[in-house]
Amino acid sequence: MNRKISARIAAALLVLHGFIEVSGLFALKYMSASLVSFGGMDQAQIGENIPSIAALGILWGLTRFAAAWGTWLLRKWGLALGIAMSLVTLVAAVTVIPAGV
């Protein structure tokens, strides 16, 4: 597999993950609060924080789209941004997805 094909695959995966991040806004808006739990927060706290959670999801999604665009064009900044976003996601995923699940 050559460099161009690898970059296209990475860009497609970044777009997919960015779409998931942005679509989380709709899931939070239309999902029942009883189905959503964030690390020990009760439902009142979740209701208060939905706008900030949605804003961060959109910000992260758009950043992933930018990384995908740079990766698709074989730019070094796109690769660096994509790696940085992936590393931050791996580190932060521990608080979202409990170990052992």
Side-chain angles (χ1 to χ4, degrees), residues 42-66:
D42 64 5
Q43 291 179 3
Q45 289 174 322
I46 293 169
E48 293 172 1
N49 292 325
I50 284 180
S52 57
I53 292 168
L56 281 175
I58 290 173
L59 177 68
W60 283 92
L62 293 176
T63 306
R64 287 189 197 283
F65 290 147

Side-chain angles (χ1 to χ4, degrees), residues 18 21 25 28 32 40 44 49 62-63 68-71 75 80 85 89:
E21 293 274 355
L25 164 69
L28 283 174
S32 168
N49 292 325
L62 293 176
T63 306
W69 180 56
T71 304
R75 303 285 189 245
M85 293 293 295
T89 300

Side-chain angles (χ1 to χ4, degrees), residues 5-99:
I5 293 173
S6 299
R8 305 288 188 203
I9 292 170
L13 291 173
L14 283 167
V15 166
L16 177 66
H17 198 173
F19 179 73
I20 291 169
E21 293 274 355
V22 172
S23 65
L25 164 69
F26 300 108
L28 283 174
K29 181 156 179 67
Y30 296 111
M31 189 183 304
S32 168
S34 63
L35 297 176
V36 181
S37 66
F38 292 107
M41 295 171 62
D42 64 5
Q43 291 179 3
Q45 289 174 322
I46 293 169
E48 293 172 1
N49 292 325
I50 284 180
S52 57
I53 292 168
L56 281 175
I58 290 173
L59 177 68
W60 283 92
L62 293 176
T63 306
R64 287 189 197 283
F65 290 147
W69 180 56
T71 304
W72 185 272
L73 297 176
L74 298 173
R75 303 285 189 245
K76 288 182 183 179
W77 63 264
L79 176 66
L81 182 59
I83 289 172
M85 293 293 295
S86 298
L87 288 175
V88 169
T89 300
L90 285 173
V91 170
V94 174
T95 61
V96 178
I97 303 170

